[in-house]
Amino acid sequence: MTEHRHGEGEVMGRFGRVIGLVAAGALAGGALVAGGVALADGLPWSGGEHVSYVKERRTIPAGYLSTNVVCPQGQQAVGGGYAHLGEHDRERPVIAEVNAPSNTSGKPDEVNNAWSFLFMNDKEETTPIDVYVICAPIDG
């Protein structure tokens, strides 16, 4: 049986590579954080204190539910989503076919002041769901 021993230089070489990878990861992470801060500074509103969200509860019947959540007057939708509160059925899940920004005017060039959803419930039972919109002041 042959014994293999790592020389001190080989161990230090591996240790140096690990330290190099950790340092590279830290630099990349720092760049992503700084990039996120720069992106947040470039968003079309000023100051996070004016960002708000609206949460409403809906009940999805058997079949379809088309609904939206509207921002307060003077604000635009910058995000949205939903939280499924009912029991999950892998065989017949509730499906969100639409989860997107929209506007209540129906005019394509208007500011998106709402978040729209279209849910499909293939079960016999109704299912509760919370729907959200994240809103920020309209520039201008």
Side-chain angles (χ1 to χ4, degrees), residues 80-99:
Y82 62 94
H84 182 247
L85 305 172
E87 290 187 29
H88 295 279
D89 181 348
R90 289 180 159 207
E91 299 298 317
R92 296 178 2 209
V94 171
I95 298 170
E97 293 185 354
V98 174
N99 178 11

Side-chain angles (χ1 to χ4, degrees), residues 103-124:
N103 68 62
T104 54
S105 73
K107 299 176 185 172
D109 294 336
E110 292 291 317
V111 170
N112 287 325
N113 66 333
W115 206 264
S116 290
F117 305 90
L118 176 62
F119 295 105
M120 185 189 78
N121 181 8
D122 195 30
K123 297 184 288 247
E124 301 285 325

